[in-house]
Amino acid sequence: MAVEKGYYVDERGNVFSKHRQLFPSVNRDGYMCIGFKHKGSVSIIFVHRLMGYQKFGDSIFEGKIQVRHLDGNRSNNSIENISIGTSSENRMDILREKRLLIAKKANE
């Protein structure tokens, strides 16, 4: 796991290894992620999940729990913006205007 390898996120959402600050990539869905070597291959970890683990521990792995961005901004991984909850709660974190656009597309 990334934490055991010395990776962590500070309160503002900046990512560090035990040696230096890292600059995450953004995947096609807009989530920030880092790659690290694990057992001879590269593993990807999402910054919000790393922050969620630091804040909530193993509870992020329970059942259908998701790590949430409270303001709906996937690049804001600050400690006060990260929470955990259900899929329904996670969807409600999306800005109202964007939720309406998604609903409109689903009805077309």
Side-chain angles (χ1 to χ4, degrees):
M1 174 168 258
V3 172
E4 294 165 351
K5 297 256 183 199
Y7 294 90
Y8 66 96
V9 183
D10 71 8
E11 290 183 359
R12 293 177 304 212
N14 299 310
V15 185
F16 296 87
S17 71
K18 52 187 162 186
H19 304 292
R20 62 187 169 88
Q21 183 173 358
L22 304 175
F23 299 94
S25 301
V26 178
N27 77 355
R28 66 180 177 187
D29 295 322
Y31 290 102
M32 298 175 75
C33 56
I34 58 169
F36 66 98
K37 287 189 178 182
H38 178 69
K39 296 184 179 179
S41 63
V42 176
S43 294
I44 302 297
I45 187 162
F46 293 101
V47 177
H48 69 287
R49 291 195 52 82
L50 182 55
M51 176 60 89
Y53 181 76
Q54 288 176 196
K55 189 173 179 181
F56 299 104
D58 288 337
S59 61
I60 72 165
F61 304 117
E62 292 176 6
K64 297 182 180 184
I65 293 297
Q66 295 182 355
V67 179
R68 304 164 48 203
H69 290 94
L70 296 175
D71 68 359
N73 179 354
R74 294 176 177 174
S75 64
N76 181 359
N77 294 298
S78 62
I79 195 165
E80 68 270 355
N81 191 47
I82 298 297
S83 188
I84 55 175
T86 64
S87 176
S88 177
E89 291 169 323
N90 198 11
R91 282 192 303 275
M92 292 306 293
D93 296 332
I94 299 171
L95 296 175
R96 185 177 189 277
E97 295 80 21
K98 189 170 181 182
R99 283 196 322 266
L100 291 173
L101 284 173
I102 293 168
K104 183 178 179 182
K105 284 184 180 182
N107 287 327
E108 291 178 351

